[in-house]
Amino acid sequence: MTALVSLGRLVSAELRRLAATRLPMWGSLAALGSGGFVGLLALVGPENFDPPVPGLDTAPGVRMLLGLLGMCAFVPALLGTTAVASEYRHRTITTTALFAPRRWTMLAAKLTAYAIAGLAYGLIAVTVAGAALFGAAAIKGVVLGLPTATVLALLSRIAVTMAVYTLVGVAVGALIPNQVAAAAILGAYFYMIETALLLIPGVKELYPYLPGGATAALTGFTFLADALAEQMGGGATSLLSAPLGAAVLVGYALVAAAIAVIAPLRRDIT
Amino acid sequence: MNTGSWDIEVHGLTKTFGTVEAVTDLDFTVSPGTVTAFLGPNGAGKTTTMRMLLGLVTPTSGRATIGGLRYTELPRPAATVGAVLDTSGFHPDHTARDHLSVYARLGGFARSRVREVMDLTGVTPFAGRRTRALSTGMRRRLHLATALLGDPRVLLLDEPGNGLDPEGIAWLRRFLRELAAEGRTVLVSSHVLSEVEQMAERVVMIRDGRLVAAGAVADLYGEAAVRVRSPQAGPLTTALLAAYPGTVRVEALDQDTLRIHGLTTAGIAADAAARGIPLHEITPERPTLEHAFLHLTGHDQGDTR
Ligand SMILES: Nc1ncnc2c1ncn2[C@@H]1O[C@H](COP(=O)(O)OP(=O)(O)OP(=O)(O)O)[C@@H](O)[C@H]1O
Ligand SMILES: [Mg+2]
């Protein structure tokens, strides 16, 4: 009970710390931007892309736009990394460690605070994107290629993905206190390393459990999984269910966080 | 809970960074009620010792405790111990007030404490300024304010005078003496003796990570001496040594100047007059801690307790 009260206190302090920086402003702009970007694409219409892809009135067209939004989950992850790594960069970590010397409590508080912030980010992004999607369909006089309930479900899954990615970002930032290195490693993994890994025979079987595969399960955007299946033959890779995918991602965040807590226990703050 | 005394205790404390022995088998105790100076030249191991006391650096061996407990074992660490270690350590976007309110929440202290510590430490005039725009002295004050949020019984300050102007240092001295007089334990590190000389009653001196001396400032002062200039320095020396065998010591500083130990100015003047030796100058040399400091840390490698 007292542990919960003190965790609540630390979470509120972390939110206060975050709120007083410029990150919420940049975060909101980025969320509006990524939602707006997808909205813009919807307005232009996928059928007008070069090369043209299925339009808004088709299921693949809508899924592709939502998939693009899902890929923007990388941004809140970076923001999470930045926020935590800045504690090391500005050396506020010393005072923080003095006020909350039990480091697992500290990191638990940060993870909770940033899950809240990440969810807020996700909600802004999907609200803008959703409004734009339905708006574009209305302007063009077409009906979206997916049932409204499905679109809303996918949008909320993307919001959750963004929250979970923020956690992953926070955990990576805590693990690798160098802000630039942490961001570079995060980016390199998602955009290059995982795809490269899949070229190794046998690794494909693991794909559902890799961060990318778990993300695909969560967002329902299976472009990469489908492409893999096509290239390698052997039938479609079966992804995890959305909740399991989310659990796997949270698992990665927790493992990174656990290492981040255990490592500094032996690391001196000098 | 500790109901008795908030002593800072260091026993057999040792820290090695790779091959560097930063602190070696250090022992000392700091008691409440007075300011204790923690003195040593650059690289002596002051910061490392303080960081070990605060649980930021893990000792290689030995114990560093506050009120009998390790920092991380204290039930409410930030309400027990206040520490100032750096001049950095602020988020540049935060205002001074933001910074304090984040840590007031983190420590679970009342919101009203923010205003109180700002008034106490003189932060109020720049409370709304972003920390990126603060001067070194302002940062010092803000760190001190942060350390005081929990109204701690114990204060550990690493070179708190750095970056303060003379007025700021005078203020800090008064302020820390008052805090100590309220029964707090106050340990202040410095490599500049004059900075702490006027506020500390006790001192712990270290060099190369080892204890050099510890005790009351008064006990560490060198003995008093008198500086005498006379055209007959030689005959005066002979006369004094003959008159007070074993109790007087005379150093020849140059051809006509002597430093005489073991006699008062009046005594020397009377002796010289009785022998018709003219004196051109006779000045009492106040013993200084500076002397003791240089002497102890410069030459005596061993433990002189
Ligand atoms: N993180 C570290 N890694 C390696 N060596 C270190 C580290 N921190 C301190 N040292 C070494 O330990 C010794 C003591 O350093 P420390 O900072 O404790 O001295 P100090 O008395 O605070 O000096 P100053 O008056 O210059 O602040 C020095 O030789 C220093 O180089
Ligand atoms: Mg130092």
Side-chain angles (χ1 to χ4, degrees), chain B residues 105-121:
Chain B
R105 272 200 208 180
L106 210 53
F109 309 129
R111 285 179 75 87
S112 57
R113 272 307 279 172
V114 172
R115 172 145 292 283
E116 285 167 25
V117 296
M118 288 201 304
D119 288 341
L120 264 178
T121 56

Side-chain angles (χ1 to χ4, degrees), chain B residues 38 42 46 74 88 97 114 133 163 175 203 220-221 224 289 297 304:
Chain B
F38 190 26
N42 291 131
K46 305 180 294 291
L74 292 169
S88 62
R97 191 187 285 108
V114 172
F175 188 64
V203 26
L220 293 174
Y221 276 111
L289 199 49
T297 61
T304 62

Side-chain angles (χ1 to χ4, degrees), chain A residues 9-10 12-13 16-17 20-22 86 90-92 94-99 101-103 265 268-270, chain B residues 15 51 56-58 71-72 74 77-78 88-94 98 101-103 105-106 108 130 132 146:
Chain A
R9 199 182 80 210
L10 299 190
S12 119
R16 178 87 185 75
R17 186 202 299 281
T21 66
R22 297 198 176 150
S86 77
H90 303 306
R91 303 174 68 93
T92 49
T94 305
T95 314
T96 304
L98 289 178
F99 276 69
R102 289 153 198 90
R103 295 186 195 171
L265 283 184
D268 295 328
I269 301 178
T270 56
Chain B
K15 177 70 187 182
R51 287 185 178 264
L56 298 170
V57 166
T58 315
Y71 186 84
T72 48
L74 292 169
S88 62
F90 303 113
H91 194 294
D93 287 357
H94 284 172
D98 288 335
S101 53
V102 167
Y103 287 103
R105 272 200 208 180
L106 210 53
R130 290 193 196 278
R132 65 157 61 89
T146 314

Side-chain angles (χ1 to χ4, degrees), chain A residues 138-165:
Chain A
I139 290 170
K140 297 182 165 232
V142 298
V143 175
L144 287 182
L146 281 177
T148 305
T150 311
V151 174
L152 293 181
L154 285 174
L155 282 173
S156 34
R157 279 157 69 171
I158 290 170
V160 172
T161 308
M162 290 180 163
V164 174
Y165 263 51

